[in-house]
Amino acid sequence: MDHPIAPAGITRRRALTVTGGMLAGATLAAHAFPAFAGEAQDADAIVVGHGLAGLVATAELAAAGRKVLLLDQEPEASLGGQAFWSFGGLFFVNSEEQRLMGVKDTHDLAWQDWLGSAGFDRGVDDPAGQDHWAYKWAEAYVDFASGEKRSWLAGLGVQWFPIVGWAERGGGLADGHGNSVPRFHVTWGTGPAVVEPFEKKVRAAVAAEKVSFRFRHRVDGIVTTGGVVTGVRGAVLEPSSAARGKPSSRTVIGEFELRAPVVVVTSGGIGANHDLVRQNWPARLGTPPRTMVTGVPAHVDGRMLAITERAGGRIVNPDRMWHYTEGLRNYDPIWPGHGIRILPGPSSMWFDATGKRFGTPDIPGYDTLHTLGSITASGYDYSWFVTTQKIIAKEFALSGSEQNPDLTNKNVWQLLSRIWQTPEPIEKFKKNGADFVVASSLSELVAGMNRLTGDNLIDLARLKGQIEARDREMDNPYTKDVQVMGIRNALAYIGDSLSRTAPAHKILDPSAGPLIAVRLNVLTRKTLGGLQTDLSGRVLGASGEPVPGLYAAGEVAGFGGGGVHGYRSLEGTFLGGCLFSGRQAGRAAAAATAM
């Protein structure tokens, strides 16, 4: 069995912790499974969920010679799950791309940033604590991101855009939240290119009769016998021709029960279930928004969390979640309530619904959850960017593989065209999107903002005074305005100056126009808590002991341990969490079923 080789800065203890967790899974399995070894089995393992974590776990199981059933309630068109729709951002530490950009990154700096962002405070040192295994997973993941993660993926043919993005820049202190340096590596080919090598592995295993797909199989229960997981049961749904991401029928045409000594749950989070999002919404983020847009397809419904809990699994940190503050209503939606996130550069001015400018750290690209709390504290569900054509042309990017055809289709010429023109997807949203106001003067802009919301909350004189005050700070190379400091900091990084930050200018400079206001909606996205797992991906019960035969990976497990991110993400870590936890669970489950 291959295991990560500890790079410089990673202790032998940490490397052995990961390996030891997997070996412990095999040892437990040797005691748990023999009682059922003589009974008929449909496979060596059942994987529930055909998203990225499920594909990775299945590929690992098949590579070890195991026979696997891969189940999902969706049709084949949605293979790859939410990862397919992603921008393809991955978190690496001290990568070739960073060094090319002149970025000096280290394992210790990344771990400092992770701890400052995660804020683990729920029993890290207590084996029964909610953060006990989350902390261990965080250690293992930062080791992975600093070590073999990039070489492993590169060996599978994955490549990255050479300019490293600087996401989640944080709250202003070295040991606090945020990335000290750029670490957001955009995959060449975006999300589909991350999914592709694992889909190929699984399809090859299908051809070799090691893996069998079970599309349209909705799991309604995990079967246990004598306290040991022995399979799953559920409903067969009618065939569906729904395109990827489109809602599919829930009409039941049959039932099933399948047996295996191992079940791996990789079913994703709760982002499309707004009722569940509100139910788990933490008081620290204020009152849940009445209206939100949805950043994931409708099948991301959180069903398997409750189902796995009924089988004995423990859910921890359910109040930790990651929702974006810069959501747009998609003028051409794929799933219900489809929202698209703006990935902003640092220059747009950010105001609440009443036209009051946010303070630090509520600056574009700095601290997502703090800004989310500031928005809910305003008493409204939305906020505003006030910006210029010059800014959106250089700084606006849209989340999603379908919103970045140049990167997704690996079209170099189309990518280079960003140098001299606003990307076409941005212009389409500006023209067709319900959240954009474009005007040649500030008075016209304010009238359009008030007309769009129907609330008449924006006062022209007040907005003008705040913009003019910020514009005066542009006259010198130094300033007391934190956002202007951030703009100059960004321009000092070659990656930002080349592709993500507009030249410093005044918002009311006519040559930078027209003026643009963008209404920003709260966009649901990621579940940071979930099923608590040890480092082998075994699901733990209320007593802290593993539920025999039950594993979990990906978002349903909080990307590892029931909450590897703690309270906040450093970005580029969601896909990586699916990759790492899926690999860990797949390898451990393969070891546990070795005969």
Side-chain angles (χ1 to χ4, degrees):
M1 187 184 305
D2 295 327
H3 296 295
I5 298 173
I10 300 175
T11 66
R12 174 181 173 83
R13 178 184 66 81
R14 289 193 196 175
L16 291 176
T17 297
V18 178
T19 304
M22 295 173 65
L23 293 177
T27 301
L28 179 74
H31 291 87
F33 299 148
F36 306 96
E39 299 187 17
Q41 303 288 342
D42 295 294
D44 298 315
I46 294 170
V47 177
V48 182
H50 65 200
L52 181 59
L55 289 174
V56 174
T58 301
E60 292 291 341
L61 282 157
R66 308 295 177 264
K67 290 193 173 183
V68 187
L69 296 177
L70 179 54
L71 281 60
D72 201 284
Q73 65 183 352
E74 293 306 302
E76 186 172 2
S78 288
L79 192 67
Q82 174 60 22
F84 180 91
W85 298 105
S86 73
F87 197 34
L90 290 169
F91 175 96
F92 296 131
V93 179
N94 192 26
S95 69
E96 293 180 18
E97 290 78 15
Q98 285 176 304
R99 293 193 292 272
L100 177 67
M101 290 286 101
V103 175
K104 297 178 181 179
D105 199 8
T106 65
H107 172 275
D108 289 347
L109 183 61
W111 182 234
Q112 171 181 297
D113 288 347
W114 196 287
L115 286 180
S117 301
F120 295 120
D121 61 1
R122 297 176 176 175
V124 169
D125 298 321
D126 178 2
Q130 295 187 76
D131 279 339
H132 181 73
W133 286 102
Y135 183 94
K136 291 180 181 294
W137 272 93
E139 279 189 305
Y141 183 73
V142 174
D143 291 353
F144 178 60
S146 305
E148 69 165 325
K149 179 182 176 184
R150 187 188 180 284
S151 60
W152 174 57
L153 291 171
L156 296 173
V158 184
Q159 298 177 306
W160 297 275
F161 185 57
I163 297 178
V164 184
W166 196 354
E168 272 312 280
R169 304 185 190 202
L173 295 176
D175 59 354
H177 168 57
N179 285 295
S180 297
V181 297
R183 296 193 179 104
F184 191 82
H185 297 67
V186 177
T187 302
W188 185 231
T190 66
V194 179
V195 172
E196 181 182 12
F198 302 100
E199 180 180 346
K200 284 183 176 179
K201 284 177 175 286
V202 171
R203 290 194 182 277
V206 170
E209 299 184 343
K210 290 293 184 184
V211 174
S212 178
F213 287 126
R214 292 288 191 273
F215 302 114
R216 306 297 284 155
H217 279 55
R218 185 187 70 198
V219 173
D220 295 327
I222 295 173
V223 179
T224 60
T225 307
V228 177
V229 169
T230 54
V232 297
R233 60 173 177 79
V236 179
L237 306 179
E238 68 177 353
S240 171
S241 60
R244 181 186 292 276
K246 291 286 187 180
S248 61
S249 164
R250 291 294 180 261
T251 300
V252 174
I253 60 171
E255 298 178 347
F256 70 89
E257 183 166 331
L258 298 167
R259 295 181 62 84
V262 160
V263 172
V264 185
V265 179
T266 60
S267 55
I270 67 173
N273 188 336
H274 288 198
D275 290 339
L276 202 53
V277 168
R278 292 189 182 96
Q279 177 183 319
N280 289 289
W281 192 274
R284 65 182 176 275
L285 291 180
T287 303
R290 295 179 298 277
T291 303
M292 298 179 282
V293 294
T294 308
V296 294
H299 61 76
V300 186
D301 54 17
R303 291 181 70 254
M304 283 304 300
L305 280 162
I307 290 168
T308 310
E309 186 177 35
R310 288 197 294 271
R314 181 191 185 198
I315 296 174
V316 296
N317 302 311
D319 62 322
R320 292 180 182 169
M321 52 187 69
W322 190 259
H323 305 304
Y324 289 111
T325 50
E326 313 98 333
L328 302 174
R329 300 168 195 274
N330 195 341
Y331 66 89
D332 186 19
I334 296 170
W335 52 80
H338 189 176
I340 296 294
R341 183 203 173 197
I342 296 172
L343 285 73
S347 302
S348 298
M349 295 186 70
W350 206 337
F351 299 88
D352 72 13
T354 70
K356 179 183 177 182
R357 188 184 180 191
F358 287 124
T360 184
D362 303 330
I363 297 168
Y366 276 69
D367 193 330
T368 295
L369 290 194
H370 190 282
T371 307
L372 178 57
S374 296
I375 291 169
T376 58
S378 75
Y380 295 89
D381 295 344
Y382 66 93
S383 59
W384 291 100
F385 276 168
V386 173
T387 188
T388 67
Q389 181 68 35
K390 190 172 185 178
I391 290 172
I392 73 163
K394 187 75 173 284
E395 297 192 7
F396 274 27
L398 299 175
S399 64
S401 53
E402 82 283 9
Q403 298 297 331
N404 295 275
D406 47 359
L407 289 164
T408 301
N409 299 325
K410 303 181 182 181
N411 187 321
V412 175
W413 174 252
Q414 194 175 11
L415 180 65
L416 289 174
S417 72
R418 294 190 184 209
I419 296 173
W420 62 82
Q421 65 181 14
T422 307
E424 184 180 8
I426 299 290
E427 282 297 320
K428 284 185 175 179
F429 262 93
K430 192 180 80 172
K431 179 180 178 181
N432 303 312
D435 297 305
F436 280 77
V437 179
V438 182
S440 57
S441 68
L442 188 60
S443 59
E444 183 185 347
L445 189 77
V446 168
M449 295 164 73
N450 285 329
R451 187 165 53 247
L452 178 62
T453 63
D455 292 332
N456 205 36
L457 295 174
I458 309 297
D459 178 76
L460 173 61
R462 183 188 190 196
L463 189 72
K464 182 179 180 182
Q466 292 172 94
I467 295 173
E468 288 179 336
R470 181 267 193 191
D471 279 358
R472 293 187 189 100
E473 300 290 317
M474 306 303 293
D475 288 333
N476 294 286
Y478 42 85
T479 178
K480 72 175 183 180
D481 189 287
V482 173
Q483 184 177 10
V484 177
M485 292 180 195
I487 294 168
R488 302 204 188 283
N489 193 32
L491 290 170
Y493 166 50
I494 188 172
D496 275 352
S497 64
L498 285 173
S499 67
R500 293 289 286 138
T501 305
H505 65 276
K506 298 181 177 183
I507 297 293
L508 297 180
D509 179 356
S511 68
L515 289 168
I516 300 166
V518 188
R519 179 178 57 185
L520 305 173
N521 309 277
V522 175
L523 181 144
T524 64
R525 183 60 64 84
K526 294 298 179 184
T527 311
L528 298 189
L531 297 168
Q532 191 172 41
T533 59
D534 65 10
L535 285 175
S536 62
R538 296 179 299 174
V539 176
L540 305 179
S543 68
E545 294 297 317
V547 179
L550 187 57
Y551 293 73
E555 191 173 351
V556 74
F559 303 94
V564 67
H565 297 97
Y567 288 94
R568 289 183 173 90
S569 166
L570 286 173
E571 291 285 36
T573 54
F574 299 131
L575 292 178
C578 290
L579 292 166
F580 184 55
S581 63
R583 191 176 82 155
Q584 289 289 101
R587 291 183 177 184
T593 51
M595 297 298 181

